[in-house]
Structure formats: C-alpha cells, structure tokens
Amino acid sequence: VDTFSAQSPALILQLSDLLSYILYEKDESWVPLQKEFDIVHSYINLEEKSFKNSVIFKVKFPEVTKSKFIVPFLLLSIVESCFEYFLNTGQHQPILTLICELNENVLHFRIKFSKGQSIIAQKDIDDIFINVQKQLHTQYPGVHYWEAAEDMETIAINLKLPLYQHYVISTKKSEAINVLSKSL
C-alpha cells in the first residue's frame, strides 16, 4: 500500500496529461511531434503499472523534434494496440521495444513486441492494427510505409511517414502531400 501511495501523485499526473491530450487534441489536425512522444511515454508508464511493473520495455525517442508535426493519436494508437494485444493474449510479462528516429522530415517508427503463447496470438497482424492502417490511409495517403512481420516470438512493425513542418501545415493538404512524398 505504501508503494502505491508514494506513486499515486505521479500516476494521477500522467493520467491527467493523457486525458487532457485526448480531450484537447482530438479536434486538431496536427500536434507537435514531441507532444505525441510525451503522451506515448506516459501511456507506456501507466500501462506498466497496470501490469504490476512486469512489462519489459525499451523506449528510445529522438532528442530534437522542434518544429515537427504529426497527426495526433497515430503513434499512441499503435502502442495502445500493442497493450490491448498483451491483455487479449494473457501475457503476464510482455516485452515491448520502441525506437523512433528522425531523418530530416521522415519519422522512422519501429516497434517490436512479444506474441505470447495463446491461440489468440496467432491472430492476423492486420486485424490488430486495422484502425491504425485506416488512419494512415486517410491521413497519409500514398506517403507512408508500413511493414508488419512476425517470427515465432515477436511481432514487429516498421513505419515511415513524413513529418510536417509549420509552413507545410498552413498549405493545402494536397500540396503538402506532393512536397513530402518526394522526401520518402
């Protein structure tokens, strides 16, 4: 009980940040990349507590994200789908590795997570991420790269997509797609 009491303020703050992000960013077309990274990190920390600190995870985000923008909830949706998968497959010690890198205006997002032993673990990868793929096709049509692969123990997602800059956001979306598709 004392451990929970000591952690309570930090958990409440993380939950507050997550709820604030959901409430205030849901209507935005773009958010700063750093804001999306921060919320993903907070979400992972909250989920780790719900798994009683048994999640084995490694997270690496780039240090410099200034003036880079992304569609809100995209990365969060991918991570959320992974944790939902952990619950559905009954994993008690799931493993998650998340590495994000920037190359100019392109985000390279790689996530690898444990499959688990249950029959549900054999579920088609596309089913796990169907909503994410719909979001990508709607908001990054023709300018993203998505690859999903699996082996006996893990599922790996490899995503590349353009990051928008402030001046691009103010232009028409069709013009932005033409400009950014050349950088992929």
Side-chain angles (χ1 to χ4, degrees):
V1 174
D2 291 337
T3 304
F4 180 74
S5 298
Q7 294 176 353
S8 294
L11 291 174
I12 290 170
L13 186 58
Q14 287 178 335
L15 185 57
S16 174
D17 289 345
L18 183 62
L19 292 173
S20 177
Y21 187 77
I22 290 168
L23 288 172
Y24 297 112
E25 304 303 334
K26 69 178 170 91
D27 296 326
E28 296 296 322
S29 298
W30 312 104
V31 295
L33 180 61
Q34 188 60 52
K35 198 174 214 179
E36 183 84 357
F37 284 165
D38 291 344
I39 209 66
V40 164
H41 199 267
S42 288
Y43 180 81
I44 290 171
N45 286 335
L46 284 170
E47 286 290 358
E48 180 189 27
K49 300 303 179 216
S50 74
F51 278 89
K52 298 181 174 117
N53 294 322
S54 66
V55 177
I56 300 168
F57 72 92
K58 175 186 172 189
V59 178
K60 179 184 170 199
F61 292 118
E63 292 180 22
V64 179
T65 61
K66 187 177 180 181
S67 73
K68 308 285 187 205
F69 292 82
I70 190 170
V71 172
F73 304 105
L74 181 63
L75 305 180
L76 181 61
S77 296
I78 295 170
V79 173
E80 185 180 27
S81 295
C82 293
F83 278 98
E84 184 178 323
Y85 178 81
F86 293 154
L87 288 172
N88 290 339
T89 56
Q91 294 185 47
H92 299 291
Q93 288 188 309
I95 299 170
L96 177 92
T97 302
L98 170 61
I99 299 173
C100 298
E101 297 172 327
L102 292 177
N103 182 7
E104 303 263 336
N105 290 326
V106 177
L107 173 67
H108 190 179
F109 179 90
R110 295 181 304 232
I111 192 164
K112 189 174 188 177
F113 57 99
S114 54
K115 273 175 88 167
Q117 302 299 317
S118 77
I119 294 174
I120 299 173
Q122 302 305 316
K123 187 176 181 182
D124 188 32
I125 297 171
D126 290 336
D127 288 346
I128 299 166
F129 295 101
I130 190 135
N131 290 332
V132 172
Q133 289 185 29
K134 286 178 185 176
Q135 189 177 12
L136 284 167
H137 289 297
T138 301
Q139 296 169 324
Y140 291 92
V143 294
H144 71 276
Y145 171 80
W146 172 274
E147 178 185 42
E150 62 182 306
D151 60 28
M152 294 296 287
E153 298 176 357
T154 63
I155 297 172
I157 301 298
N158 186 6
L159 171 65
K160 291 182 184 179
L161 54 92
L163 293 174
Y164 297 88
Q165 292 185 345
H166 186 66
Y167 72 90
V168 175
I169 291 172
S170 63
T171 64
K172 296 178 190 173
K173 186 173 181 179
S174 61
E175 292 175 12
I177 290 171
N178 288 335
V179 169
L180 292 170
S181 66
K182 294 176 185 174
S183 67
L184 288 178

